[in-house]
Amino acid sequence: MLSPAAGTASWPALREELQIHAAGANRDGSPAWHICDPVRNLFFRIGWLEFEILQRWRLADPQRIAREVADATTLAPAPDDVDDLQAFLARHQLLRAVRQKAPMPAWRWLLNNYLFVRIPLVRPAHWLERLLPWVRWLFTRWFAGLSALAAFTGLVLAARQWDTVEANLRGALSWDGVLGFAGALIVSKLLHELGHALVSTRHGVRVGHMGVALLVMWPMAYTDTGESWKLARSRHRFAIASAGIASELVLAAWSTLLWAFLPDSDLRNALFFLATTAWVLTLLVNASPFMRFDGYYMLADAIDFPGLHERAGQQARRFLRRWLLGLDDPLPETLSVGFRRFLIAFAFATWIYRLVLFVGIAVVVYHAFFKALGVFMFFVEIGVFVGRPVVAELRVWMRRRAEIPRRRKAGWLLALAAAALVLWLPWHAGITAPGVIKAGAEQPVYSPFAARVTALDLADGLNIESGRELMILDAPNQAEERDKARALAHAYTRAARGALGLDEGPAAQLAVAEQQASRWDAERRAREAELLRLKLVASMPGEVRDVDPLVGPGTWVAPSQLIAMVVDGRRWRVEVLVPERDRQRLSLGSTATVIVKGRTRKLQGQVRAIDNSPVKRLPHMLLARDHGGPIALNPTRPKAELRPAEAWFRVLVEGESETSLAAVGEVKVHFEGTRESLARNWIDNALSVVIQQSGF
């Protein structure tokens, strides 16, 4: 008889409904078992030591259990091993005496589960068993070989018709294309889930239910294959996990082959949608091992390592704690060095992938609601799925801070102090902004009115001095009007003189003659002044550019026709665009460094003007992102308006250079503004974005 040990009355008992099934062997060859919780449809994999301890659980004493296991087997457990197993069973609610968890509040359940909600619709176990005999040929080797041949042939034929494929892809951007892809997606995903269900039934695994899952409120089909853990062979579990991808690849293979041979029709378009949807989404989404999609279960079953994410995460957290904090934790489990390194690398890749994915989902959630709610949901998404795991690990570090070696603490304190100095000291003064450079002084050469060229002394690249004659024009109409005004003025003058010689000449006749004579004389002087404008001279020294090649002696030019440009390229000016935050840090007269594309030598200038209101139109199209520039245009306005999407302020920089500038070009300008810390800059930018996007 076994005498009860001290504390037997408080020893927790196992739940009666729990079941234990053999699970084959672990990677090291040791036997494994599964603890099945039929109430919650969960299973937990245990090893030989845990199995032997559970067989002696009735002894109700860690020391006696450990001694009995050591006497009956080659294992050498310690009482702490029994305590660890008891804590594991209590944590997962496998003990009868464990106090049940309090119900989770609805708001907390929604935060944890709104990304993925399952809605069961059917229980298909019965009709799957009846359907299986009719589709056994799908699992034969000859069908797999034919499908592989169909895939290869279809892809080769599609590659030879690549122009048709591109045309179909461009056509898919229409509403008909979107509807076609949506229909193809529904069909391919239904076949995907049917593949899981049929292979599960083929291996004796009951499919509990099938239904619709809401992934970020996006509906998608799912199949419950949770009982596949009962299969002792990992290759059978791998077959179930890969059945969905295999089904879509078979669909893609035969659809591609048939598309290559069929004439243009609605059926051919449908096959194109099926093929592209199955190829792309299957390989990009379902095959990923970093989320709990098919690729994850396939990898876990291929290497026979259940709980891959959790166990890899344990290895990676131990590695981080040892590398960063110097904590020498025991190994979570005994593994080879190479496989442990693989798990650590896999865990880091999973974390990076999930960070990118969750940030992307947060952006989608933000755009799915109005601004204020979208910003709130964005931070909820980041906080729950990105921030919470990080905070949990930091809490472990804080709880174990006494175990960290002093040298490691000192090193991290120095690193944190250096980071604080870098972030909070106001040493950051540089401002970099895009701009467009132009000549500082330009004289466009236009005809004052429609005229004919009589003499032209212009050529591209010609250096001229101020006051040099550029060209002479002739305007016959203006000369005729001048001659007409001269003749009339002379005639009226003679008439007025003749009226003075009459003894009885009326005073009114004299006044009219003098008035008309004065008027036409003014007209003559105006016409002569206009004719003087036909002699075009340079108002400044510079270089002649952009001479119209069609203009020559004898040709007519219109007043709106640009004949040439006289440019003083040594003097230049830059129109720079800066955001509001940087505008406040600039001052008139400050130095600016201009970097011109294609020139190795920098230009030095000074700030001459700073606008107080944002620009409504970009100074030049070179700054627009649609033309290769850095600034995005407002998508709600016509692109020809060149209206920026955000608030940019114009800063005018002027200077002189030793060599002449060739033409208008895009530049980068560096300013020395008021010093500020990096942390303040980041915080202000973040608050500005939040306020702007929330609509407050």
Side-chain angles (χ1 to χ4, degrees):
M1 298 292 295
L2 296 175
S3 57
T8 301
S10 61
W11 185 256
L14 296 172
R15 288 167 47 192
E16 293 87 347
E17 67 273 14
L18 297 181
Q19 304 169 6
I20 296 183
H21 300 271
N26 291 315
R27 289 180 54 85
D28 58 0
S30 62
W33 288 264
H34 285 143
I35 301 177
C36 173
D37 183 355
V39 176
R40 295 180 295 165
N41 195 25
L42 297 176
F43 73 95
F44 306 89
R45 190 177 179 112
I46 61 174
W48 184 20
L49 174 60
E50 292 78 14
F51 178 73
E52 294 294 342
I53 293 175
L54 289 178
Q55 282 190 313
R56 295 163 179 81
W57 196 259
R58 66 185 185 282
L59 298 180
D61 180 40
Q63 294 183 352
R64 293 183 62 186
I65 293 175
R67 186 169 60 252
E68 287 281 343
V69 172
D71 293 341
T73 67
T74 58
L75 299 172
D80 291 341
D81 296 325
V82 181
D83 293 335
D84 291 341
L85 179 60
Q86 179 182 352
F88 170 81
L89 297 173
R91 185 165 61 252
H92 294 286
Q93 304 182 45
L94 300 177
L95 299 177
R96 190 197 315 170
V98 174
R99 181 175 59 87
Q100 297 295 324
K101 291 184 178 180
M104 183 180 296
W107 64 269
R108 188 172 181 180
W109 180 92
L110 182 62
L111 288 180
N112 292 333
N113 297 276
Y114 83 96
L115 279 183
F116 191 77
V117 180
R118 286 186 172 186
I119 305 175
L121 296 179
V122 294
R123 300 186 178 277
H126 176 68
W127 60 263
L128 285 173
E129 293 178 356
R130 299 186 61 180
L131 177 63
L132 186 61
W134 295 90
V135 295
R136 288 192 184 276
W137 56 274
L138 293 174
F139 307 102
T140 58
R141 292 184 178 179
W142 64 265
F143 179 75
L146 283 178
S147 297
L149 180 61
F152 176 78
T153 306
L155 290 175
V156 171
L157 294 176
R160 298 184 64 181
Q161 305 179 53
W162 191 248
D163 54 342
T164 306
V165 175
E166 290 182 343
N168 287 339
L169 288 175
R170 287 193 294 268
L173 299 177
S174 62
W175 281 110
D176 292 339
V178 171
L179 294 177
F181 273 120
L185 182 63
I186 294 174
V187 172
S188 63
K189 292 307 174 184
L190 290 178
L191 290 178
H192 178 107
E193 300 304 327
L194 183 60
H196 284 306
L198 287 173
V199 176
S200 298
T201 305
R202 184 170 182 263
H203 288 287
V205 175
R206 183 180 65 89
V207 178
H209 47 81
M210 300 175 69
V212 175
L214 299 179
L215 182 61
V216 197
M217 304 306 171
W218 181 266
M220 57 184 298
Y222 82 93
T223 301
D224 177 26
T225 59
E227 294 189 9
S228 60
W229 59 267
K230 294 181 179 179
L231 299 174
R233 296 185 179 181
S234 61
R235 64 185 184 91
H236 291 166
R237 297 195 298 271
F238 178 84
I240 295 176
S242 61
I245 292 180
S247 299
E248 288 198 73
L249 292 180
V250 169
L251 174 65
W254 290 103
S255 297
T256 305
L257 180 65
L258 293 176
W259 174 85
F261 286 102
L262 288 178
D264 289 335
S265 61
D266 293 338
L267 178 59
R268 192 171 192 254
N269 293 335
L271 291 173
F272 177 81
F273 293 137
L274 286 174
T276 51
T277 302
W279 282 122
V280 175
L281 291 182
T282 296
L283 297 178
L284 292 182
V285 178
N286 293 100
S288 171
F290 303 118
M291 295 295 290
R292 291 189 181 272
F293 296 135
D294 294 345
Y296 165 74
Y297 296 104
M298 291 169 59
L299 179 60
D301 293 328
I303 62 177
D304 195 15
F305 201 74
L308 176 59
H309 280 165
E310 291 79 5
R311 297 164 76 179
Q314 292 176 359
Q315 297 286 345
R317 284 190 292 271
R318 176 187 176 274
F319 172 79
L320 281 178
R321 293 169 186 173
R322 183 170 184 175
W323 184 65
L324 296 177
L325 306 179
L327 299 178
D328 192 12
D329 291 343
L331 293 172
E333 52 187 313
T334 303
L335 300 169
S336 65
V337 176
F339 189 67
R340 185 181 299 113
R341 290 175 179 172
F342 162 75
L343 291 180
I344 293 173
F346 178 78
F348 280 111
T350 301
W351 293 342
I352 295 173
Y353 177 88
R354 290 188 175 186
L355 175 63
V356 175
L357 178 65
F358 287 142
V359 170
I361 293 176
V363 173
V364 172
V365 171
Y366 161 73
H367 287 288
F369 303 96
F370 58 89
K371 285 190 174 182
L373 182 59
V375 171
F376 171 76
M377 296 301 295
F378 177 89
F379 284 105
V380 167
E381 168 73 19
I382 296 298
V384 172
F385 296 100
V386 177
R388 187 170 63 174
V390 174
V391 171
E393 182 63 19
L394 292 177
R395 286 178 178 173
V396 174
W397 294 5
M398 290 296 296
R399 188 168 60 249
R400 301 183 58 183
R401 62 183 179 274
E403 306 175 30
I404 303 175
R406 291 185 178 180
R407 295 182 59 184
R408 193 63 60 93
K409 286 182 180 179
W412 277 109
L413 287 176
L414 290 176
L416 291 176
L421 291 177
V422 171
L423 292 177
W424 291 103
L425 282 181
W427 62 271
H428 178 65
I431 299 173
T432 302
V436 60
I437 190 168
K438 302 177 182 178
E442 298 177 343
Q443 177 190 354
V445 180
Y446 287 100
S447 173
F449 39 82
R452 182 177 57 199
V453 179
T454 59
L456 178 67
D457 188 13
L458 292 176
D460 285 326
L462 179 65
N463 292 316
I464 59 176
E465 299 296 331
S466 177
R468 173 170 173 170
E469 185 178 283
L470 301 176
M471 61 187 306
I472 299 176
L473 302 173
D474 179 28
N477 290 337
Q478 291 290 338
E480 291 176 0
E481 292 294 332
R482 179 200 60 188
D483 295 340
K484 175 182 176 181
R486 180 185 298 168
L488 289 174
H490 182 67
Y492 279 111
T493 300
R494 284 188 302 166
R497 290 175 181 175
L500 288 174
L502 297 178
D503 296 335
E504 299 179 358
Q509 183 179 357
L510 175 62
V512 170
E514 290 179 345
Q515 183 180 7
Q516 291 295 326
S518 176
R519 172 199 167 191
W520 287 107
D521 187 59
E523 179 73 12
R524 175 188 61 79
R525 292 194 301 270
R527 295 296 179 178
E528 288 179 348
E530 287 293 311
L531 289 173
L532 290 176
R533 293 173 59 198
L534 294 176
K535 183 179 180 180
L536 304 181
V537 297
S539 61
M540 63 179 185
E543 179 183 350
V544 178
R545 298 179 186 173
D546 301 331
V547 177
D548 191 340
L550 300 179
V551 176
T555 60
W556 284 81
V557 292
S560 60
Q561 181 179 353
L562 178 63
I563 302 173
M565 292 283 293
V566 179
V567 178
D568 186 1
R570 297 178 184 272
R571 295 166 53 195
W572 50 264
R573 58 187 173 88
V574 179
E575 293 182 89
V576 191
L577 296 183
V578 299
E580 183 177 9
R581 174 70 184 170
D582 292 336
R583 181 185 68 89
Q584 298 174 355
R585 298 170 53 203
L586 293 175
S587 59
L588 294 176
S590 59
T591 304
T593 302
V594 181
I595 301 176
V596 185
K597 287 186 176 181
R599 292 181 57 140
T600 58
R601 191 168 184 177
K602 300 178 181 178
L603 303 177
Q604 298 294 329
Q606 288 185 330
V607 177
R608 297 302 184 188
I610 303 175
D611 288 353
N612 293 323
S613 58
V615 297
K616 301 299 183 182
R617 179 183 175 87
L618 296 181
H620 200 280
M621 67 174 59
L622 288 175
L623 298 176
R625 185 171 297 172
D626 293 353
H627 299 278
I631 299 178
L633 297 179
N634 191 331
T636 62
R637 307 292 298 181
K639 296 186 183 299
E641 293 185 4
L642 295 179
R643 176 167 296 198
E646 300 177 355
W648 294 86
F649 292 80
R650 189 181 71 100
V651 177
L652 183 62
V653 177
E654 293 182 349
E656 296 184 3
S657 62
E658 297 179 358
T659 59
S660 178
L661 294 175
V664 177
E666 182 187 353
V667 297
K668 289 287 185 181
V669 184
H670 299 278
F671 302 96
E672 286 294 325
T674 305
R675 294 184 178 273
E676 69 172 3
S677 65
L678 292 175
R680 181 180 177 182
N681 185 21
W682 295 343
I683 293 173
D684 289 345
N685 288 336
L687 292 177
S688 175
V689 171
V690 171
I691 294 174
Q692 179 182 4
Q693 296 299 323
S694 62
F696 294 150

